[in-house]
Amino acid sequence: MRTGSRVVSRKSAIRWHNSLHHVAISRPCTKASKPVQYMTRFLFALLMGCTLIQSAHAADRVKVRAGSHRDFGRLVFEWSQPSGFEARISNDVLTVQFDRSFDASFEGAVATLVDYISEVQHNQSGTTVRFMLKGQYTLRSSHYDTSVVLDLLDNDITLSKDSARGPGVRIGEHGEFTRTVFDWWRNIRYEATRKNDQVEVSFGSSGNPDLSQFQRDPPRYIESARKRTSDDGLVVIFQVPPGTGLRHFRDGNKIVVDVLKGTASATTANRSVPAGGQKPSKASKVERINTEVLSSPKKVMTQSAPENLLPSTAYNLPIGVSTLPKGVRMVFPWNNPTAAAIFLRADYLWAVFDHAARADFSNLTAAFSNNVITAEQLANRHATILRFKVPEDRYLSAVRDELDWIVDVTETPTPPDHPLTVEREIDVHGGARIFVPALDTGNRWDLRDPEVGDILAIVPIKSPGHGMAQERLFAEFHLLPSAQGIVVQPLSEGVDVEPRRNGVRIIGENGLILSTGHLLERHGCSRPKNSRSCKRK
């Protein structure tokens, strides 16, 4: 057990108690001896209770299980609550570090993965575990609810499959560029270069992508595509018009190649936006989105904050817009992975992005004025905060297609694909707090709503489809509904919002006022009347 900063074993505590008891009963029997004994036993019981509570909170008990599959070995860490983690393989050692310390038995997992793992080391702090591997493996990690899943893929098997399948190829047409995404199943080295009227993309692995769509219906700014095999692996060659530009980057296991509009005219005629009034799902990406609109001398009323209050970045965010049967679709094409918060409040669509850019509203013409009344960029030099006035009784849905955030404003309610949940917790002092589990959270941005006049705390989320399906009301704050991200409306100055790697924590200066009777009982607490903290039973 733990007393202050000193660690005391259970046996030592018992010996210490026996010595105290021995001293008490060996003294001459006086009137004060029994009170001394009672006081000694009371203090010992209090000490034992406190140390047992501390030890109970010191480390979580985590179940570790394993499975040996045909092409990979799998490790699963089952937590009682979500935990952030980092995992990597270096020098044939798999290192997994969690946010919290934990206790676990690894014997069953090692026995199951005997062909993969030779030894396990769990460090003294209890947060990191190392697996000594018997070969060279590729790591694939994922997170489901409270479980962390790690797959060890045999490099030889993975490489042999590369020549038989993929990578997947997706095409997206935008106003100023055409985007091609090569979706690999692991991290692949690549190089992209421009040679005369060709763009050559070389990959450090063999593969067999399907390029037939380039011949069947060539996209804008790409005339044709072909592939060949080099000593290093797959090479894809695009034939492009003179004057076009090149931009490329990595997004996880995806390689993104943009062919930028140049002085040459487009190679194909304009295409219409696939609409149908349905939200694009995560499984079926929106492959082609034409963000161009008909020209019109009259535009939606737009405004921006003064120049010195806007981001100094050179990146302009050209907002694409197209008409849906009962609404409008807006596209925010970013040049790198960006966390977003999308929500509707007082008939205003808010779009808060974790990266800085200057919005380009030029596509918002009179053709869309029935669906988008005004557009503005609010002052912030480090984030992009946009606000659009929309008609009454509208609903939002938001998805991400590669790097582009797509927002539909329609008359039909559409809940988020992955509704966020709310968990009530007790801190180390017995105060109540709220935790919203979420992965890939961004920074916290505080902004004033000009319509309502209050301050909102916004936390964008990078993983698409994670929004608050309905409003959650608490005594000291409200969690507002959102299509994407977390929106907190504080009602008390003591409320604080803390983004963490595995979610967002909402705390109060002395603990939040919550109805937490069931939670207190589970932690062995009883709450005195008119108190925010609890007393241990």
Side-chain angles (χ1 to χ4, degrees):
M1 65 182 177
R2 205 176 280 272
T3 58
S5 60
R6 182 185 174 193
V7 178
V8 181
S9 68
R10 191 183 301 274
K11 291 182 178 180
S12 299
I14 294 174
R15 287 198 299 268
W16 177 69
H17 169 261
N18 290 338
S19 65
L20 288 176
H21 186 64
H22 175 72
V23 170
I25 63 175
S26 63
R27 296 164 107 186
C29 187
T30 65
K31 291 183 179 181
S33 61
K34 282 186 178 284
V36 169
Q37 293 181 39
Y38 293 149
M39 182 58 71
T40 301
R41 291 173 181 175
F42 171 77
L43 291 174
F44 174 74
L46 182 63
L47 178 63
M48 286 292 292
C50 292
T51 52
L52 286 175
I53 290 172
Q54 289 179 351
S55 63
H57 286 272
D60 291 334
R61 184 66 185 175
V62 175
K63 180 180 179 181
V64 180
R65 55 185 178 86
S68 182
H69 301 268
R70 179 179 177 181
D71 297 334
F72 64 92
R74 169 165 291 178
L75 280 166
V76 181
F77 296 80
E78 295 182 350
W79 289 76
S80 59
Q81 296 180 356
S83 174
F85 75 98
E86 292 182 0
R88 64 184 183 277
I89 292 179
S90 177
N91 298 324
D92 296 338
V93 177
L94 167 61
T95 302
V96 189
Q97 184 175 8
F98 292 95
D99 283 349
R100 305 195 302 272
S101 61
F102 69 100
D103 290 328
S105 174
F106 299 96
E107 293 181 2
V110 173
T112 302
L113 299 180
V114 64
D115 294 333
Y116 293 82
I117 300 172
S118 61
E119 184 184 350
V120 180
Q121 296 177 355
H122 194 182
N123 74 342
Q124 200 168 22
S125 66
T127 59
T128 304
V129 59
R130 293 178 176 85
F131 298 89
M132 313 302 156
L133 304 179
K134 293 184 175 181
Q136 295 185 347
Y137 301 100
T138 297
L139 177 63
R140 179 176 63 194
S141 63
S142 54
H143 200 287
Y144 302 98
D145 259 347
T146 59
S147 297
V148 173
V149 181
L150 304 176
D151 292 340
L152 298 171
L153 288 75
D154 192 310
N155 282 352
D156 294 334
I157 296 176
T158 304
L159 290 172
S160 67
K161 289 187 174 183
D162 285 353
S163 58
R165 59 172 182 168
V169 178
R170 290 195 290 276
I171 304 172
E173 288 186 353
H174 304 268
E176 301 295 325
F177 60 92
T178 289
R179 172 164 293 165
T180 304
V181 180
F182 297 92
D183 193 356
W184 295 86
W185 47 92
R186 63 188 180 92
N187 194 290
I188 296 294
R189 176 177 53 83
Y190 86 100
E191 182 181 1
T193 57
R194 173 73 185 267
K195 299 179 180 179
N196 298 323
D197 294 337
Q198 291 184 343
V199 171
E200 188 171 293
V201 187
S202 303
F203 300 98
S205 178
S206 56
N208 188 26
D210 181 6
L211 303 180
S212 60
Q213 51 192 321
F214 289 95
Q215 278 68 41
R216 186 172 59 250
D217 187 14
R220 186 181 293 110
Y221 313 133
I222 298 179
E223 297 174 346
S224 64
R226 58 187 175 89
K227 58 191 174 185
R228 63 180 176 85
T229 302
S230 70
D231 293 338
D232 294 328
L234 171 69
V235 179
V236 175
I237 301 170
F238 295 129
Q239 189 71 34
V240 298
T244 50
L246 172 64
R247 177 176 65 199
H248 56 90
F249 53 90
R250 178 190 303 278
D251 180 16
N253 291 343
K254 302 180 183 67
I255 305 302
V256 182
V257 179
D258 292 342
V259 178
L260 310 178
K261 177 182 177 180
T263 56
S265 60
T267 58
T268 59
N270 292 347
R271 295 176 174 83
S272 60
V273 180
Q278 295 184 352
K279 182 178 84 168
S281 66
K282 184 177 179 181
S284 59
K285 301 286 188 180
V286 180
E287 291 194 350
R288 299 193 175 192
I289 296 178
N290 180 10
T291 59
E292 293 187 355
V293 297
L294 298 176
S295 61
S296 171
K298 182 180 178 181
K299 296 186 177 182
V300 175
M301 184 183 300
T302 63
Q303 65 180 24
S304 296
E307 286 286 323
N308 62 330
L309 300 179
L310 290 177
S312 58
T313 175
Y315 180 68
N316 289 326
L317 183 67
I319 300 172
V321 60
S322 59
T323 302
L324 298 176
K326 291 186 178 182
V328 66
R329 170 171 294 168
M330 304 179 72
V331 182
F332 303 88
W334 286 92
N335 60 351
N336 49 36
T338 303
I342 312 291
F343 62 99
L344 193 64
R345 193 183 196 213
D347 296 329
Y348 277 89
L349 184 166
W350 288 83
V352 179
F353 299 102
D354 216 23
H355 288 163
R358 295 202 175 193
D360 179 359
F361 297 121
S362 60
N363 287 335
L364 289 170
T365 68
F368 305 103
S369 59
N370 290 333
N371 291 294
V372 182
I373 302 169
T374 64
E376 60 181 317
Q377 181 169 6
L378 277 65
N380 195 299
R381 301 194 64 181
H382 306 288
T384 304
I385 302 176
L386 308 176
R387 202 171 71 118
F388 305 87
K389 176 70 173 176
V390 297
E392 297 180 357
D393 301 323
R394 291 298 191 268
Y395 301 91
L396 301 182
S397 62
V399 296
R400 199 183 78 183
D401 179 28
E402 304 306 338
L403 301 182
D404 302 345
W405 281 103
I406 303 170
V407 180
D408 287 354
V409 186
T410 65
E411 299 176 6
T412 306
T414 306
D417 288 341
H418 308 286
L420 296 169
T421 60
V422 176
E423 298 179 357
R424 304 186 180 195
E425 298 180 337
I426 294 292
D427 62 26
V428 293
H429 303 294
R433 65 191 182 195
I434 287 293
F435 185 72
V436 182
L439 297 178
D440 297 327
T441 56
N443 297 311
R444 163 187 164 176
W445 303 100
D446 293 344
L447 57 89
R448 180 179 294 277
D449 186 337
E451 292 300 310
V452 182
D454 58 357
I455 300 294
L456 301 178
I458 314 293
V459 180
I461 297 176
K462 190 179 297 182
S463 300
H466 289 75
M468 191 66 62
Q470 59 186 2
E471 187 174 15
R472 303 294 297 269
L473 305 180
F474 297 89
E476 296 176 282
F477 69 93
H478 293 171
L479 281 167
L480 303 186
S482 66
Q484 175 73 25
I486 298 172
V487 183
V488 182
Q489 177 192 6
L491 304 177
S492 169
E493 292 184 357
V495 173
D496 195 13
V497 179
E498 299 179 343
R500 306 177 71 84
R501 284 194 302 175
N502 60 332
V504 172
R505 179 175 290 165
I506 305 171
I507 62 176
E509 189 174 354
N510 297 309
L512 296 172
I513 300 176
L514 302 175
S515 175
T516 55
H518 68 287
L519 188 63
L520 295 173
E521 291 178 4
R522 190 174 66 189
H523 285 263
C525 298
S526 63
R527 171 171 289 180
K529 188 177 181 180
N530 300 326
S531 174
R532 296 191 184 188
S533 59
C534 70
K535 291 184 177 180
R536 301 290 178 183
K537 293 181 180 178

